[in-house]
């Protein structure tokens, strides 16, 4: 396994790599917010070279765009962006390029909508994934969609259905177990859910988001994300299952608000791994 998180305060590719090394990370998010597929070749290559020189695995290239935006021009632009980001991921040898499947919410790109999990939407999602993969034909990476509480895929069965329908070898599995904790029963059964998920999809798993989850004390039910270690997610199960897969599997924290919070998250994950007798591969 390779631990990682978002890093801050770098100006150059070398500084970007060195921060990962200082924190004991072995995997890195591609800095897609500033270096996307439209960047010049020299800049892209310089980040690739810095990662390679320091033994860092590029974990994911983000393609965070809604392919079903209500605005037709935005939909077209978002498709172009996703294709470009998959091309970038293939070029830099990232473990995956990741997006969400998409939402019909009129204003929120990732919002809940009553038709997000309809049969019609499922067909649209399948066609969009096939179109992106077929446009790029990646050789060095995989296109993935992050599980979400209210869109495809939202559980094991819906992911199986999606994989079978897409029917492309370049379609991989992106793991975010906390995003699938979308009911009261699942809040208290994350270990069983994690073990079942990894049993079903192990060889297809390319990347793992590391978060935590907790349930609020007010009505009606509200399930929140939390900093790893501050919730009730079963990290023993998650790390044990991750360790059964390939050594380069990235396990990266996300959705936090500061460097201090990311440090807190990865410190907890590192301690938990040591307690379980597990190791993370670090850069150098």
């Amino acid at each position: 396994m390779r631990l990682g998180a978002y890093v801050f305060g770098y100006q150059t590719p070398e500084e970007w790599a060195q921060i990962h090394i200082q924190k004991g990370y072995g995997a890195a998010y591609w800095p897609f917010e500033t270096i996307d597929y439209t960047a010049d070749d020299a800049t892209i290559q310089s980040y690739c070279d810095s990662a390679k020189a320091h033994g860092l695995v590029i974990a994911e290239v983000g393609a965070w765009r809604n392919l079903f935006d209500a605005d037709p021009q935005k939909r077209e632009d978002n498709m172009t962006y996703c294709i470009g980001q998959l091309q970038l991921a293939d070029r830099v040898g990232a473990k995956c390029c990741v997006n969400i499947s998409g939402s019909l919410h009129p204003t929120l790109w990732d919002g809940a909508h009553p038709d997000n999990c309809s049969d019609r939407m499922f067909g649209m999602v399948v066609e969009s994934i096939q179109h992106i993969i077929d446009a790029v034909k990646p050789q060095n990476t995989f296109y993935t969609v992050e599980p979400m509480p209210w869109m495809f895929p939202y559980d094991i069965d819906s992911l199986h259905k999606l994989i079978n329908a897409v029917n492309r070898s370049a379609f991989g599995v992106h793991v975010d177990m906390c995003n699938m904790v979308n009911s009261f029963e699942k809040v208290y059964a994350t270990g069983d859910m994690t073990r079942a998920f990894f049993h079903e999809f192990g060889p297809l798993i390319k990347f793992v988001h590391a978060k935590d989850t907790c349930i609020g004390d007010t009505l009606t039910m509200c399930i929140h994300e939390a900093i790893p270690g501050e919730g009730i997610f079963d990290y023993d199960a998650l790390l044990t299952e991750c360790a059964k897969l390939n050594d380069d599997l990235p396990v990266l924290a996300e959705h936090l608000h500061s460097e201090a919070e990311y440090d807190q998250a990865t410190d907890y994950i590192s301690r938990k791994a040591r307690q379980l007798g597990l190791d993370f591969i670090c850069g150098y």
Side-chain angles (χ1 to χ4, degrees), residues 37 67 75-85 87:
Y37 77 99
L67 295 170
R75 286 200 301 273
E76 183 177 341
D77 292 344
N78 289 348
M79 177 61 75
T80 298
Y81 182 83
C82 290
I83 290 171
Q85 291 298 88
Q87 290 171 333

Side-chain angles (χ1 to χ4, degrees), residues 32-47:
F32 69 93
E33 301 94 335
T34 54
I35 315 296
D36 68 6
Y37 77 99
T38 65
D40 63 86
D41 290 345
T43 299
I44 292 172
Q45 191 60 48
S46 65
Y47 277 89

Side-chain angles (χ1 to χ4, degrees), residues 156-170:
I156 287 174
D157 289 344
S158 63
L159 182 52
H160 266 306
K161 182 180 177 182
L162 191 61
I163 291 169
N164 291 335
V166 169
N167 191 29
R168 297 292 188 274
S169 60

